[in-house]
Structure formats: structure tokens, C-alpha cells
């Protein structure tokens, strides 16, 4: 074989290996997981590559440009909220609250890589939860009277909405007390309503109608919770609100009506301690019990009744935020008292099989997003 033929053959081989290696890497890397440190000395996002088998590989740490903070009385749940990180897959953006500097950080997302694009004020005290629907973003300020502030996504940045701030009319300190501060802000599935939980502050939900221009109705509809201290919520496939209510460690489902009222509550306790966080995966609803260091699973039947499957996993100290992979096959749960993330495979019966524990994160983490 002459020299030119050998060179050509080697070049072809290198090209083949490169293409095959890239394809293998693509198969191995399915997505990403992002965890917020919430450190008062400087908030950071820890990024992990997520493999096809659910396992995580730490890739980098990114400063948010702001500071974390701790709510008064909080031990393992420093922000005392659900949704302090929000991943917008459609726009390729990640939003992170900076509770200690009253700001919201905006990152662009490329796999598990982040680039800080913006740090924008929230015009309130102690931002603790953020939500996105379409081109709208709203952040929850938990301190003092409490408020929500709205923005519109423009490219990789946010612009404040005209007339985009609404008071919640609460009476919290600054920083707020973790049992009485509002717990989560979130949109209804169709984006027509914005909901805030008030935990023990007023034991209710504040529901704002969303106007066509993205701003909110002047005042919310205020709904009493079926059981005390509504903390966090999600929705089932039928659009029924499914809430974690910490007062008696219960999951309650509600019909969310067009006028903002919540009706037809159905509740079921899990017998654990500090049931606060909730997420859906593979058709099941998983709740984190911070005081019991456990995760329980529920189903919601055609009759809208929540049914307890039982405790399906035990965690390290202080089970808090949960997030599921987009296909529902894997569940990731933070333990704020230990600085760990548990990785679970979700079974077809609602069971969880632990695949591993990611350690080495700081105590006080809160906020997790999966892409």
C-alpha cells in the first residue's frame, strides 16, 4: 500500500472514531441536573450531566451573581419554598432566586453548561420561588407583605412587565419566618392563573387571574386550604391541583375553577413528619417528608381521591426539594441537612429504587431542576 493510501486510510479511521465517539457521548449524556447552593456568601449553581441510566456526573459550578439567605427558624429547608430554580426548556433558560440580594439570576443552558445572562431585581424582599409559562416569568418575594413580580422573556433576558407587581397582603418579617412565609408561586396548566401558597401565614392559596398582557388581576381570590399550612403544589393530568399541606402532613387535591376558587377538596395524610414538597413522575405523586427523612408516593384516582402507596424511600437528613426527569423514569431528591442528592429509578408501581447518592454539596442546598 503506498504512502498516500495509508494516510487516507488513517484519516478515514480517525473520522470514523470521532463520529462514533460523538455518537456514544450523545447516547451517554441524556440531560442535566442543576442544584442551588443558596450560600449567603455567594449563591452558586452546581451542574451535573445526566446519563441515560439516571446517574449524575458533576461538571461545573456557576456563580449566580447574587447571594443566598436563610429564613428565620429554618433548619434544613433554608428557603422554605418549592421552585427556587426553574428550568425553561423551550427557551433554554434557567432562573434562580437570590434571596439574600433580592434578585433573580438568568442563565442560558447548553446541556449541563450555563452562561450567566442577567441579574435582575425582584422589587421585594427575600425572593424564594420562581415559575415560567410561555414567555412569562413570575417570582415570589416571601418577606414582609410578600409580593409577586412579573417579567417577559426577550431572547436570553427578562424585561419587567408594566404593572407587573402585586402585593400578597401578608405580615412576615424580613427575613420571613419559615412556617408562615409563602411557599410557592406557580401557573395553572393553561397559564390563565397564578397561584401562591401561604403556609401558616393565612393557611390558604392566593389565585390571580393572568391578563392577556401578562399582568395580573388587581387582587387575588383567596381560598382557604382544606388542611393547615399549604406549602407546595403541582397538577394532575386532568388539571386538578395537587397540594402538599404540612400542618397534618397531607396531600389534598382541589378543583381549580375559572373564577379562581378552589373546591371539592380530597385529603390523605401519610403519617410522616413535615410533608412539604411534591412532584409528579411516571403518573405518581411523590412527597418529601423533611422531618422523617423519607419520600412517600401517592396516586390520584378517577374519583380525584389521593391514595397513599406508602413510604417508598428513606433519605439523608432533611428531605426537601424533588424533581423528575422529563420522561418520568428518574427522581432526584435533595437532603438539605446533609448536602446530598439521591438518585432513584421510578417503578411502574410507584416504587423507588435507589441508584446512588451524590455527596459533597454544602449543607443548606435548596432548589433542583432537571433537564
Amino acid at each position: 500500500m503506498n504512502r498516500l493510501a495509508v494516510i487516507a486510510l488513517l484519516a478515514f479511521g480517525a473520522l470514523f472514531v470521532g463520529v462514533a465517539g460523538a455518537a456514544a457521548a450523545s447516547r451517554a449524556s441524556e440531560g442535566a441536573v442543576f442544584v442551588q447552593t443558596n450560600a449567603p456568601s455567594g449563591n452558586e449553581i452546581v451542574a451535573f450531566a445526566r446519563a441515560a441510566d439516571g446517574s449524575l456526573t458533576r461538571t461545573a459550578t456557576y456563580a449566580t451573581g447574587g447571594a443566598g439567605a436563610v429564613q428565620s427558624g429554618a433548619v434544613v429547608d433554608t428557603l422554605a419554598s418549592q421552585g427556587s430554580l426553574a428550568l425553561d426548556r423551550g427557551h433554554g433558560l434557567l432562573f434562580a432566586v437570590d434571596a439574600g440580594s433580592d434578585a433573580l439570576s438568568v442563565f442560558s443552558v447548553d446541556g449541563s453548561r450555563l452562561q450567566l445572562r442577567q441579574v435582575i431585581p425582584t422589587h421585594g424582599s427575600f425572593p424564594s420561588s420562581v415559575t415560567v409559562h410561555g414567555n412569562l416569568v413570575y417570582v415570589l418575594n416571601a418577606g414582609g407583605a410578600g409580593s409577586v413580580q412579573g417579567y417577559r422573556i426577550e431572547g436570553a433576558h427578562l424585561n419587567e412587565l408594566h404593572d407587573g407587581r402585586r402585593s400578597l397582603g401578608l405580615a412576615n418579617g424580613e427575613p420571613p419566618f419559615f412556617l408562615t412565609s409563602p411557599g410557592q408561586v406557580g401557573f395553572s396548566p393553561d397559564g390563565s392563573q397564578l397561584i401562591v401558597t401561604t403556609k401558616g401565614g393565612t393557611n390558604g392559596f392566593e389565585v390571580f387571574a393572568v391578563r392577556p398582557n401578562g399582568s395580573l388581576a388587581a387582587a387575588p381570590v383567596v381560598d382557604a386550604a382544606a388542611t393547615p399550612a399549604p406549602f407546595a403544589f403541582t397538577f394532575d393530568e386532568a388539571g386538578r391541583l395537587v397540594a402538599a399541606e404540612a400542618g397534618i402532613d397531607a396531600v389534598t387535591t382541589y378543583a381549580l375553577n375559572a373564577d379562581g376558587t378552589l373546591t371539592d377538596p380530597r385529603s390523605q395524610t401519610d403519617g410522616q413528619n413535615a410533608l412539604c414538597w411534591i412532584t409528579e413522575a411516571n403518573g405518581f405523586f411523590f412527597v418529601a417528608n423533611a422531618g422523617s427523612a423519607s419520600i412517600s408516593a401517592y396516586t390520584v384516582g378517577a374519583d380525584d381521591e389521593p391514595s397513599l402507596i406508602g413510604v417508598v424511600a428513606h433519605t439523608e437528613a432533611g428531605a426537601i426539594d424533588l424533581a423528575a426527569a422529563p420522561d418520568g423514569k428518574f427522581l432526584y431528591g435533595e437532603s438539605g441537612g446533609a448536602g446530598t442528592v439521591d438518585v432513584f429509578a421510578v417503578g411502574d408501581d410507584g416504587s423507588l429504587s435507589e441508584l446512588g447518592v451524590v455527596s459533597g454539596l454544602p449543607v443548606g442546598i435548596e432548589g433542583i431542576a432537571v433537564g
Side-chain angles (χ1 to χ4, degrees):
M1 185 178 294
N2 65 39
R3 185 170 179 272
L4 290 177
V6 170
I7 293 172
L9 182 60
L10 290 174
F12 178 79
L15 177 61
F16 177 81
V17 169
V19 171
S26 177
R27 287 193 299 271
S29 181
E30 291 289 298
V33 171
F34 303 103
V35 172
Q36 182 167 235
T37 67
N38 191 42
S41 59
N43 193 15
E44 294 180 319
I45 307 299
V46 182
F48 299 86
R50 182 172 63 84
D53 63 0
S55 62
L56 302 181
T57 301
R58 187 166 176 165
T59 56
T61 300
Y62 302 89
T64 67
V70 181
Q71 291 207 11
S72 175
V75 178
V76 298
D77 55 336
T78 53
L79 292 177
S81 67
Q82 178 164 292
S84 61
L85 279 182
L87 180 62
D88 179 2
R89 298 183 187 93
H91 292 94
L93 298 174
L94 180 73
F95 306 102
V97 302
D98 298 307
S101 49
D102 301 334
L104 181 67
S105 296
V106 183
F107 292 88
S108 58
V109 180
D110 180 10
S112 64
R113 296 184 296 274
L114 300 178
Q115 182 176 351
L116 182 63
R117 295 291 190 177
Q118 185 180 23
V119 181
I120 191 169
T122 63
H123 300 292
S125 169
F126 208 103
S128 62
S129 180
V130 60
T131 187
V132 58
H133 186 278
N135 291 323
L136 294 178
V137 172
Y138 270 88
V139 65
L140 168 64
N141 292 301
S147 65
V148 290
Q149 172 66 48
Y151 312 85
R152 189 175 300 279
I153 299 171
E154 301 286 349
H157 292 79
L158 296 179
N159 289 327
E160 293 177 9
L161 285 174
H162 174 68
D163 191 30
R165 185 177 182 273
R166 293 290 182 270
S167 174
L168 301 176
L170 304 175
N172 289 294
E174 297 185 21
F177 182 52
F178 81 116
L179 295 178
T180 58
S181 62
Q184 182 185 353
V185 62
F187 283 99
S188 61
D190 65 0
S192 67
Q193 295 171 93
L194 188 79
I195 302 114
V196 176
T197 59
T198 64
K199 296 208 294 273
T202 62
N203 291 304
F205 301 83
E206 298 196 12
V207 182
F208 292 89
V210 179
R211 295 168 172 165
N213 68 356
S215 67
L216 305 179
V221 174
V222 179
D223 297 285
T227 74
F231 188 110
F233 62 91
T234 186
F235 289 87
D236 69 9
E237 288 187 350
R240 192 171 173 90
L241 189 144
V242 185
E245 297 178 341
I248 64 168
D249 306 305
V251 167
T252 301
T253 74
Y254 299 87
L256 173 60
N257 303 305
D259 63 359
T261 57
L262 292 173
T263 56
D264 189 32
R266 314 287 182 92
S267 300
Q268 174 66 56
T269 64
D270 76 343
Q272 299 291 292
N273 186 18
L275 184 162
C276 297
W277 295 265
I278 185 167
T279 196
E280 183 273 334
N282 199 26
F284 300 94
F285 295 89
F286 295 94
V287 296
N289 306 293
S292 304
S294 65
I295 297 173
S296 300
Y298 286 81
T299 58
V300 176
D303 59 359
D304 301 322
E305 291 282 353
S307 298
L308 177 66
I309 294 173
V311 173
V312 291
H314 294 279
T315 69
E316 295 69 48
I320 53 168
D321 271 324
L322 301 168
D327 61 6
K329 293 180 179 179
F330 301 102
L331 182 72
Y332 300 87
E334 290 180 325
S335 293
T340 58
V341 174
D342 287 275
V343 181
F344 301 100
V346 181
D348 291 338
D349 58 356
S351 62
L352 294 179
S353 301
E354 184 147 21
L355 302 178
V357 180
V358 177
S359 58
L361 296 164
V363 171
I365 56 173
E366 189 155 351
I368 186 168
V370 180

